[in-house]
Amino acid sequence: MEIAKAGGVSFFERPFTNHADQKNYAASCAKNDWIFLLDADEELSSELRDSLLEWKQRESELSVYEMARLTWYLGAWIHHSRWYPDFQRRLYRRDKASFSGMIHSALRFEGKQAG
């Protein structure tokens, strides 16, 4: 918390209830309409970063985008089975979608999405 505040980052706290509530609260604190959600143990590939920067340059027709998550497990990337591609909804308009679910939260919305 101190490191974030020292860097000029807005910092918000709340008691934990469940993952969906936490994600919806965080989205409500955001200054922008679009949310890109990363879990603490995830990172962007350079390809995804470049794709997102390109996407920002045009008008979006959709409210939710999903991407394939690649898992690192026991020292190796898993490129097979049902572990890949593991599509996750991570980019969304906060006024068009929200999370629900007590244990495994999922992004809920109406309309089309893009992969």
Side-chain angles (χ1 to χ4, degrees):
M1 178 172 69
E2 292 81 20
I3 293 170
K5 287 182 177 180
V9 173
S10 298
F11 192 88
F12 301 91
E13 281 186 275
R14 73 184 290 274
F16 183 83
T17 52
N18 62 58
H19 291 284
D21 288 349
Q22 294 299 105
K23 292 172 183 177
N24 291 330
Y25 173 74
S28 76
C29 296
K31 295 179 182 177
N32 297 303
D33 292 331
W34 284 94
I35 305 293
F36 185 79
L37 177 70
L38 276 180
D39 287 346
D41 63 345
E42 296 175 332
E43 62 182 66
L44 265 68
S45 67
S46 57
E47 295 86 1
L48 180 55
R49 182 181 78 60
D50 292 346
S51 179
L52 288 168
L53 290 171
E54 180 183 313
W55 170 83
K56 286 178 62 174
Q57 302 304 312
R58 59 184 187 269
E59 190 72 25
S60 177
E61 298 176 14
L62 304 171
S63 300
V64 174
Y65 291 84
E66 65 181 11
M67 55 219 55
R69 179 172 59 183
L70 181 61
T71 301
W72 177 264
Y73 183 68
L74 297 176
W77 293 109
I78 307 299
H79 289 275
H80 57 279
S81 71
R82 290 193 296 170
W83 283 34
Y84 186 81
D86 178 20
F87 286 100
Q88 299 291 313
R89 296 173 182 158
R90 297 304 180 131
L91 177 63
Y92 67 99
R93 281 189 59 97
R94 67 186 178 121
D95 60 340
K96 303 287 184 187
S98 63
F99 283 89
S100 64
M102 295 296 290
I103 308 243
H104 298 287
S105 62
L107 191 59
R108 306 289 183 205
F109 67 100
E110 292 186 22
K112 296 187 320 182
Q113 74 180 21

